[in-house]
Amino acid sequence: MRVDCKHVWEHISAYIDGDVDAALRADIDKHLETCEICSAVLDSTRNVVVLVADGRVFELPAGFSHRLHERLEAELQSRET
Amino acid sequence: MTKVPNPEFEADCIRRILAGEKHLFHELIRPCERAIYFLLLSILHNQADAEDAAQETAIKVFRNLNLFRGDSQFKTWVLSIARNEGLGRLRKLDRLREDSLDALTDGDSGDFTPAVLTSWREVPAEELEKQELAALIREAIDNLPDIYRNVVLLRDIEEMDVCQSAAALGITEGSVKVRLHRARALLQRKLAHKLKSFAPKRGLLGWGR
Ligand SMILES: [Zn+2]
């Protein structure tokens, strides 16, 4: 089966997650060999996913963990009977 | 960052806490606290509310620990409690919109075509040391519709699998996949052109794949 660009875009997320079957993966790989647009779309999407996942993007507010465990400790103590 | 759950540690911990070693609860909940907070922030859109709800969630988890059945992962169970806590607060504030209810169907509405590019130079993760880039990405995620942001949060940020994410959000695995796909497409479209300026300017190693 031949796949076109739109078809590739529809499966990009699944492709990145390794969630496409072997036949579709082969079709997409073949398309990517000759289509610079899909290659760039795939690379940029993958890059975005990696950056989004980085712990530096979302950081807990300063002191969050300390305050959480302090409140928990109070709860734990109050149930200590 | 270690996010890998350790079921044996959890099961052992839970047994001992229920048997009276309550202080162990601190260690049990620690690996989940980041995910609890950001899921609640995603639902409540307010740091102070999210923090208070996160504390409340942790207390509820402790109080209901005897109800945890080992048939789901501990973190999944904890996040479904966090989600209920968040939605309960929205309901109280009468701010529960349709999309936070996950009532939105995963129909074909909306344009999820990516930004079309002809080449891509990798933006290395080290660039995130620049506050400007981190802020750009945060903003793009913040602006996603709730149902897409929640899935990105669990799948891509907290690195939970499809099954866990579906259980925590109370949606099907199919919906998780569709929403994640759309969220990534929206993020790529929003960010691709802005990210270009963060790619290494030139050099033999910085090009493409
Ligand atoms: Zn193409």
Side-chain angles (χ1 to χ4, degrees):
Chain A
M1 194 185 84
R2 279 225 104 79
V3 293
D4 59 16
C5 296
K6 196 152 177 285
H7 199 82
V8 171
W9 298 347
E10 276 165 16
H11 291 95
I12 273 191
S13 180
Y15 182 90
I16 289 175
D17 289 338
D19 193 20
V20 290
D21 63 41
L24 180 57
R25 171 163 296 269
D27 286 339
I28 292 176
D29 285 340
K30 198 163 191 179
H31 180 95
L32 289 171
E33 277 171 23
T34 54
C35 180
E36 59 179 15
I37 290 176
C38 285
S39 296
V41 168
L42 173 66
D43 287 345
S44 59
T45 305
R46 209 183 332 235
N47 199 172
V48 164
V49 170
V50 168
L51 294 174
V52 162
D54 194 283
R56 282 168 286 203
V57 173
F58 284 105
E59 286 174 2
L60 285 167
F64 169 84
S65 190
H66 178 74
R67 291 188 294 275
L68 173 72
H69 287 276
E70 222 167 40
R71 186 152 165 210
L72 269 178
E73 189 54 32
E75 168 73 15
L76 266 55
Q77 295 295 339
S78 75
R79 307 206 136 207
E80 210 89 56
T81 42
Chain B
M1 208 165 307
T2 60
K3 291 168 187 161
V4 184
N6 183 340
E8 280 159 39
F9 167 78
E10 285 167 2
D12 182 52
C13 223
I14 291 168
R15 243 189 326 271
R16 290 170 63 187
I17 293 164
L18 292 174
E21 294 182 71
K22 292 179 180 150
H23 63 279
L24 289 174
F25 187 73
H26 290 292
E27 298 323 308
L28 179 66
I29 201 75
R30 213 179 287 279
C32 302
E33 59 193 47
R34 223 185 105 87
I36 296 173
Y37 175 78
F38 286 112
L39 179 60
L40 284 163
L41 184 62
S42 172
I43 293 171
L44 297 169
H45 301 280
N46 172 299
Q47 289 202 1
D49 290 347
E51 175 157 353
D52 190 63
Q55 294 177 357
E56 208 55 51
T57 298
I59 288 171
K60 281 184 179 162
V61 169
F62 174 67
R63 287 182 184 161
N64 293 297
L65 199 55
N66 60 324
L67 299 178
F68 173 65
R69 302 275 166 262
D71 49 12
S72 65
Q73 282 200 7
F74 180 66
K75 188 174 181 179
T76 306
W77 183 67
V78 168
L79 289 181
S80 63
I81 292 174
R83 180 171 161 274
N84 283 333
E85 176 69 25
L87 294 182
R89 285 176 183 234
L90 284 188
R91 218 168 273 132
K92 228 175 269 172
L93 295 167
D94 207 23
R95 263 176 34 209
L96 190 57
R97 301 194 314 263
E98 283 293 282
D99 61 348
S100 8
L101 256 181
D102 295 326
L104 215 74
T105 55
D106 293 313
D108 256 344
S109 57
D111 181 6
F112 304 99
T113 53
V116 173
L117 312 154
T118 50
S119 68
W120 184 254
R121 278 186 297 140
E122 188 84 10
V123 177
E126 292 71 53
E127 288 292 298
L128 286 167
E129 295 296 339
K130 294 179 184 151
Q131 274 308 311
E132 191 193 345
L133 176 59
L136 210 60
I137 294 173
R138 253 195 315 272
E139 191 204 345
I141 297 170
D142 285 345
N143 286 329
L144 288 174
D146 287 14
I147 60 166
Y148 299 138
R149 189 177 49 252
N150 291 345
V151 172
V152 168
L153 189 84
L154 298 189
R155 286 283 290 121
D156 283 344
I157 301 178
E158 290 302 321
E159 294 170 9
M160 291 169 63
D161 64 29
V162 173
C163 171
Q164 285 177 286
S165 305
L169 295 173
I171 58 179
T172 65
E173 294 187 15
S175 286
V176 169
K177 291 180 186 179
V178 169
R179 292 178 191 189
L180 183 63
H181 172 75
R182 291 177 176 181
R184 285 168 169 177
L186 291 171
L187 289 173
Q188 188 268 1
R189 191 162 62 183
K190 179 104 180 185
L191 288 168
H193 293 289
K194 294 180 183 169
L195 288 184
K196 280 180 179 170
S197 61
F198 292 92
K201 287 287 172 283
R202 55 197 300 272
L204 297 169
L205 298 171
W207 291 89
R209 288 186 289 173

